[in-house]
């Protein structure tokens, strides 16, 4: 819940863009400059520490994600000062990436590469694209010199090697580097040969050793997503067969009621715990089914996307808190991740109900923002469901204000059919980068 008990409702932001601008003010208060450029504290609030281990470089909670947010805010507002923020952050990433060992998408070098690619394109500065290309080549080299045929990680899910595969496919498309696609395909074939569910068992905080997680960031759905993406790139039926195997497992263990579906957090022990967010719940699993529909054209996969979306709506959120939708606002497991799903679904299908629900979620999210000291919008939340007493407000993309602001900007872009603009979507987001249905654009 919001901790801003004193501000009158008339003082609240009345649009997604103005809320994102106020979030930027909070993030700017966390800036820390040095000789390399700019990084941002995970949480500058004197009330407490960060919800996560500090990673000033990462896409998940550090500079890479914040750079992306400032690039998008500049595009949405036309204010070049936000480009200066993004440039300073990209300078820091470009100067320090060689100090990193983690190569994953959300916590390591692949995320830094994505941020520098986008910064180079948006700012028109070749130096950032050059560093992104150098990172891509470095990641390829690391994967081929690992010696144990495991690639970059023994974990094939999005949080491990799977996320690296998606990043390399993006780099291959951006830079025309065959080596990136070849390395991604090689790693993908190793993943495709794994048995369903194709990820590490019980490898999560508080999970039993034999638990199976069907979700997106650390489970079956995310693995199936990257295999579907590889099928779309290569046309190799081995990838499609493996992706369908993963999707079949997710369907089999899901709870279906009429036209609605929800996914267990883990099985067999957590069948009754249904997360709704991106990392381990319906919003992430829906991405997998939409990617399968996008590359293979089976209407049954789109039907499952809609089933999962209806399951979220029927749960009663945002007005109702459930065990799988607690006091959490962020992209990873909260409201911002749901906004991304329903905005993307509207762009993909043109169903006005999806856009209206995204706006409902956004209104609730904006209403939960706090600005008790005039330093900008932040969202206090219990990031870890099992530790409800740990309430913090972070600046980062997946856990805090930058990602919440980005989701609000994507929703704003969805309402601009006569001034459509490109939004920045991460490699694991399958929805249109111009979030407006094609039918709405034909009359522009």
């Amino acid at each position: 819940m919001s901790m801003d008990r004193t501000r009158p409702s008339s003082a609240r932001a009345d649009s997604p863009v103005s809320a994102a601008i106020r979030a930027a003010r909070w993030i700017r208060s966390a800036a820390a400059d040095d000789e390399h450029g700019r990084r941002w504290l995970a949480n500058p609030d004197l009330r407490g520490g960060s919800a996560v281990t500090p990673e000033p470089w990462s896409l998940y909670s550090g500079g890479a994600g914040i750079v992306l947010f400032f690039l998008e805010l500049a595009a949405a507002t036309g204010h070049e000062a936000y480009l200066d923020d993004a440039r300073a952050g990209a300078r820091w990433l470009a100067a320090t990436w060689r100090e990193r060992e983690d190569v994953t998408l959300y916590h390591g070098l692949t995320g830094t590469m994505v941020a520098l690619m986008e910064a180079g394109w948006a700012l028109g500065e070749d130096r950032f694209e050059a560093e992104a290309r150098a990172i891509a080549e470095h990641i390829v080299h690391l994967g081929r010199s690992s010696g144990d045929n495991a690639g970059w990680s023994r974990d094939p899910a999005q949080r491990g090697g799977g996320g690296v595969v998606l990043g390399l496919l993006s780099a291959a498309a951006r830079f025309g580097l065959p080596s990136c696609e070849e390395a991604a395909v090689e790693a993908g074939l190793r993943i495709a040969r794994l048995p369903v569910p194709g990820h590490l068992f019980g490898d999560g905080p508080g999970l039993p050793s034999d638990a199976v997680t069907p979700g997106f960031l650390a489970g079956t759905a995310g693995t199936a997503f990257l295999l579907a993406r590889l099928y779309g790139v290569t046309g190799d039926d081995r990838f499609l067969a493996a992706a369908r195997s993963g999707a079949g497992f997710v369907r089999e263990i899901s709870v279906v009621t009429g036209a609605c579906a929800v996914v267990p957090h883990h099985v067999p022990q957590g069948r009754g715990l249904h997360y709704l967010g991106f990392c381990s719940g319906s919003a992430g699993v829906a991405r997998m089914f939409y990617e399968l529909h996008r590359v293979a054209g089976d209407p049954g996969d789109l039907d499952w996307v809609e089933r999962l979306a209806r399951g979220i709506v029927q749960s009663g959120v945002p007005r109702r808190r459930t065990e799988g939708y607690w006091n959490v606002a962020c992209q990873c497991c909260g409201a911002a991740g749901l906004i991304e799903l329903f905005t993307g679904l509207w762009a993909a299908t043109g169903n006005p109900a999806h856009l209206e629900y995204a706006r409902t979620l956004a209104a609730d999210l904006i209403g939960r923002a706090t600005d008790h000291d005039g330093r900008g919008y932040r969202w206090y939340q219990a990031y870890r469901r099992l530790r409800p007493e740990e309430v913090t407000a972070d600046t980062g993309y997946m856990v805090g204000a930058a990602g919440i602001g980005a989701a609000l900007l994507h929703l704003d872009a969805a309402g601009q059919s006569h001034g459509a603009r490109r939004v920045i979507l991460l490699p694991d987001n399958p929805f249109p980068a111009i979030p407006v249905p094609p039918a709405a654009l034909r009359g522009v």
Side-chain angles (χ1 to χ4, degrees), residues 50-426:
S50 170
V52 295
T53 301
E55 294 175 343
W57 60 86
S58 78
L59 187 59
Y60 197 87
S61 59
I66 292 173
V67 165
L68 297 181
F69 167 63
F70 277 120
L71 291 174
E72 293 214 72
L73 190 56
T77 64
H79 295 163
E80 293 194 5
Y82 296 126
L83 293 181
D84 295 335
D85 292 288
R87 183 179 292 105
R91 282 181 50 230
W92 192 88
L93 294 173
T96 62
W97 70 262
R98 290 171 177 81
E99 302 170 9
R100 311 277 86 83
E101 295 183 0
D102 189 321
V103 299
T104 60
L105 174 62
Y106 279 106
H107 299 282
L109 286 176
T110 302
T112 299
M113 178 190 71
V114 169
L116 289 174
M117 282 196 301
E118 294 292 345
W121 185 85
L123 297 169
E125 298 195 21
D126 293 342
R127 56 176 173 158
F128 296 139
E129 290 199 328
E131 292 295 335
R133 180 174 180 139
I135 294 173
E137 292 170 340
H138 176 67
I139 292 172
V140 169
H141 172 74
L142 288 177
R144 289 180 171 167
S145 61
S146 61
D148 59 3
N149 205 37
W152 307 276
S153 170
R154 292 188 179 278
D155 187 348
Q158 298 277 16
R159 66 178 180 181
V164 181
V165 168
L166 292 175
L168 287 180
L169 291 176
S170 296
R174 178 66 60 88
F175 300 126
L177 288 174
S179 61
C180 288
E181 183 173 321
E182 291 165 4
V185 170
E186 290 171 8
L189 287 172
R190 289 194 292 271
I191 293 171
R193 289 193 291 267
L194 295 172
V196 173
H199 63 278
L200 300 182
F201 287 79
D203 185 23
L207 290 182
S209 60
D210 61 341
V212 179
T213 53
F216 196 78
L217 195 57
T220 311
T223 306
F225 176 98
L226 71 94
L227 292 167
R229 176 66 55 84
L230 282 164
Y231 170 71
V233 171
T234 67
D236 189 327
D237 286 336
R238 290 174 291 181
F239 290 127
L240 182 59
R244 290 226 171 275
S245 178
F249 171 77
V250 173
R251 283 196 301 268
E252 183 175 342
I253 66 170
S254 294
V255 177
V256 179
T257 305
C260 303
V262 290
V263 183
H265 180 267
H266 61 282
V267 292
Q269 304 89 347
R271 287 189 178 275
L273 176 59
H274 306 133
Y275 275 33
L276 300 183
F278 158 79
C279 60
S280 301
S282 300
V285 174
R287 291 188 183 194
M288 178 267 290
F289 281 110
Y290 184 75
E291 180 71 3
L292 266 172
H293 172 71
R294 190 183 71 83
V295 301
D298 188 338
D301 294 317
L302 185 59
D303 176 68
W304 261 85
V305 178
E306 297 286 3
R307 284 175 181 268
L308 290 162
R310 285 191 291 268
I312 294 171
V313 175
Q314 289 300 311
S315 73
V317 304
R319 66 182 183 279
R320 177 172 176 258
R321 297 287 181 262
T322 70
E323 192 176 8
Y325 185 84
W326 60 100
N327 177 24
V328 64
C330 63
Q331 285 260 5
C332 185
C333 41
L338 299 188
I339 292 171
E340 293 281 20
L341 170 65
F342 283 92
T343 300
L345 274 179
W346 179 71
T349 67
N351 183 344
H354 292 319
L355 186 60
E356 185 60 31
Y357 190 65
R359 288 171 172 159
T360 297
L361 290 163
D364 178 75
L365 186 57
I366 292 170
R368 294 163 59 192
T370 293
D371 186 12
H372 61 277
D373 55 8
R375 295 168 64 196
Y377 273 9
R378 74 221 68 168
W379 284 263
Y380 287 95
Q381 61 178 3
Y383 168 72
R384 292 181 174 85
R385 182 183 64 86
L386 297 177
R387 302 180 190 174
E389 72 284 354
E390 293 184 3
V391 177
T392 59
D394 279 57
T395 59
Y397 198 95
M398 296 305 295
V399 296
I404 293 171
L408 294 173
L409 292 176
H410 297 168
L411 175 60
D412 171 76
Q416 307 295 329
S417 60
H418 292 282
R421 68 175 187 267
R422 172 184 177 269
V423 299
I424 298 174
L425 301 181
L426 301 183

